[in-house]
Amino acid sequence: MRHDLRPGRLVAGLALILTAVVYFGDAGDAWQSPWWVAFPLVGGGLVVAGVVGVIARSARRRPESTPPADRNRAT
């Protein structure tokens, strides 16, 4: 089954995976990371994901010149 690509969700998922990798590395004694590192990683990732989502949605938006009946038709 095909589905729409949602790049905002992809970016949000990657930001959360990055946060998990940072904390797993800290737990495995590979490196030291302060406890507050999660806030900028998750917060910044969600902001970037929101921006990417808005840009992707505006790029997929249909032109306003199409009649309203054609916009709501299921494909």
Side-chain angles (χ1 to χ4, degrees), residues 6-68:
R6 297 189 178 188
R9 290 184 182 190
L10 176 66
V11 171
L14 291 175
L16 294 175
I17 289 172
L18 175 65
T19 305
V21 167
V22 167
Y23 275 101
F24 283 141
D26 186 30
D29 290 331
W31 57 76
Q32 292 284 333
S33 58
W35 62 269
W36 51 266
V37 168
F39 294 114
L41 284 176
V42 173
L46 291 177
V47 167
V48 171
V51 170
V52 168
V54 167
I55 291 171
R57 184 173 180 179
S58 67
R60 276 185 287 172
R61 184 174 291 169
R62 294 183 184 178
E64 294 296 326
S65 62
T66 58

